[in-house]
């Protein structure tokens, strides 16, 4: 589970696949500790969490039957390196599934108003940048190792969740109100505004919700050679591990 946060989707995977080993990775030590505690509280013994950079994973090549990334791509500064690294650790025949916030494809080019709206969304939640789900598809097809690539816009299915998040706070505001902390109140108000602006960007077609899936080819390819440096490959140092991973276990990885 690539970009697991406090492990919500990792726990879903662990419950869905009880005979699999599930590993969630995150850059935050605090998130990893919290995720592990929540998994233990739910009696899950087939999931664990590690602190690791999604763009430079320490796992050997061809390690996982499933690589899942839920809403982590928008935080990655190098989308091509992100895809290439997930492809590297995916076993031949395995599935890569990515769910991520995206901006619309170009052309047409963004107007200045659209650029300003996107810049607000970048800045408010510290996103480096978004790309389109179509661009994710193009990146996956360029790896040379991923095939059967399917990319769809799931904005219709996910749009209600944005305002639902705000309504939850309206119906149960007391945890925030009782803190009697104006700084927290200010942050919550900013969060409400940002969520609403995300909702409107999704509604208006400026943003999309990308669902992208691919399968790793069982045919040996050269996608990890230095020739692919232009698309952000970060795994040249890991190619020596390829021959050591013929006995791949049933595993799933999320950061």
């Amino acid at each position: 589970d690539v970009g697991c946060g406090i492990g919500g989707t990792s726990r879903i995977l662990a419950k869905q696949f009880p005979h699999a080993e599930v590993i969630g990775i995150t850059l935050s030590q605090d998130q990893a500790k919290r995720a592990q505690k929540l998994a233990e509280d739910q009696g899950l013994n087939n999931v664990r969490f590690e602190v690791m950079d999604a763009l430079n994973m320490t796992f050997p090549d061809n390690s996982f039957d499933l690589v899942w990334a839920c809403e982590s791509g928008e935080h990655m500064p190098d989308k091509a390196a992100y895809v290439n690294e997930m492809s590297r650790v995916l076993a031949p025949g395995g599935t890569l599934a990515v769910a991520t916030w995206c901006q619309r494809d170009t052309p047409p080019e963004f107007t200045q108003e659209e650029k300003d709206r996107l810049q607000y969304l970048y800045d408010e939640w510290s996103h480096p940048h978004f790309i389109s789900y179509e661009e994710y598809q193009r990146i996956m097809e360029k790896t040379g190792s991923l095939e059967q690539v399917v990319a769809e816009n799931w904005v219709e299915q996910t749009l209600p969740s944005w305002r639902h998040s705000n309504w939850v706070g309206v119906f149960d505001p007391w945890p925030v109100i009782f803190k009697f902390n104006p700084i927290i109140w200010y942050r919550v108000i900013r969060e409400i505004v940002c969520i609403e602006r995300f909702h409107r960007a999704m509604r208006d077609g400026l943003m999309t919700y990308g669902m992208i899936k691919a399968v790793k080819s069982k045919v040996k390819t050269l996608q990890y050679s230095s020739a692919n440096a232009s698309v952000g490959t970060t795994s040249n140092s890991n190619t020596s591990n390829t021959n050591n991973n013929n006995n791949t276990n049933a595993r799933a990885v999320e950061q």
Side-chain angles (χ1 to χ4, degrees):
D1 184 0
V2 182
C4 65
I6 59 172
T9 49
S10 301
R11 294 190 295 277
I12 290 174
L13 289 169
K15 294 172 184 177
Q16 185 72 25
F17 304 105
H19 300 296
E21 176 188 4
V22 180
I23 303 174
I25 63 172
T26 173
L27 283 175
S28 169
Q29 182 68 53
D30 290 340
Q31 286 185 343
K33 289 181 179 179
R34 177 65 174 153
Q36 196 66 55
K37 178 63 166 57
L38 290 170
E40 292 170 359
D41 290 346
Q42 295 182 21
L44 297 171
N45 56 16
N46 64 326
V47 57
R48 60 185 171 89
F49 300 91
E50 299 185 15
V51 177
M52 192 180 300
D53 183 358
L55 304 184
N56 188 25
M57 290 187 253
T58 58
F59 301 120
D61 297 354
N62 308 320
S63 293
F64 299 96
D65 296 311
L66 170 66
V67 177
W68 163 253
C70 183
E71 299 185 1
S72 59
E74 53 266 39
H75 301 284
M76 301 297 167
D78 188 333
K79 314 301 188 191
Y82 171 64
V83 169
N84 275 281
E85 189 67 351
M86 291 190 291
S87 176
R88 180 186 68 79
V89 301
L90 184 64
T95 299
L96 170 63
V98 177
T100 184
W101 307 340
C102 300
Q103 62 192 35
R104 70 164 175 81
D105 206 15
T106 55
E109 298 303 318
F110 294 112
T111 66
Q112 187 58 52
E113 179 186 3
E114 290 176 322
K115 291 178 181 179
D116 292 342
R117 293 177 69 183
L118 286 171
Q119 193 62 52
Y120 170 86
L121 301 179
Y122 294 159
D123 295 342
E124 193 67 10
W125 282 352
S126 301
H127 294 114
H129 67 287
F130 305 128
I131 62 174
S132 68
Y133 69 89
E134 294 96 335
E135 182 63 15
Y136 273 106
Q137 180 175 8
R138 290 188 284 266
I139 291 172
M140 289 186 186
E141 290 171 344
K142 288 178 182 177
T143 63
S145 64
L146 296 175
E147 57 188 18
Q148 302 178 43
V149 182
V150 179
E152 298 179 353
N153 179 13
W154 279 29
V155 72
E156 182 177 349
Q157 293 90 332
T158 57
L159 186 62
S161 66
W162 294 97
R163 284 183 174 165
H164 172 76
S165 298
N166 278 342
W167 280 114
V168 168
V170 171
F171 291 134
D172 187 20
W174 310 114
V176 174
I177 292 175
F178 285 153
K179 290 184 183 296
F180 297 105
N181 188 328
I183 295 177
I184 293 179
W185 294 346
Y186 170 71
R187 290 175 178 171
V188 169
I189 291 172
R190 284 186 62 176
E191 193 85 348
I192 291 170
V193 172
C194 187
I195 289 172
E196 176 60 21
R197 291 186 66 166
F198 259 107
H199 171 93
R200 295 184 184 188
M202 293 278 184
R203 178 199 65 191
D204 297 344
L206 177 60
M207 295 281 294
T208 63
Y209 195 99
M211 288 292 294
I212 312 99
K213 184 180 75 170
V215 175
K216 188 168 181 178
S217 172
K218 294 183 179 181
V219 178
K220 184 176 180 180
T221 64
L222 299 176
Q223 74 274 20
Y224 301 122
S225 70
S226 58
N228 284 319
S230 62
V231 294
T233 303
T234 60
S235 55
N236 293 338
S237 61
N238 295 305
T239 54
S240 61
N241 297 322
T242 303
N243 294 329
N244 298 324
N245 297 285
N246 293 326
N247 298 318
T248 304
N249 294 323
R251 308 171 82 191
V253 61
E254 166 190 18
Q255 178 177 350

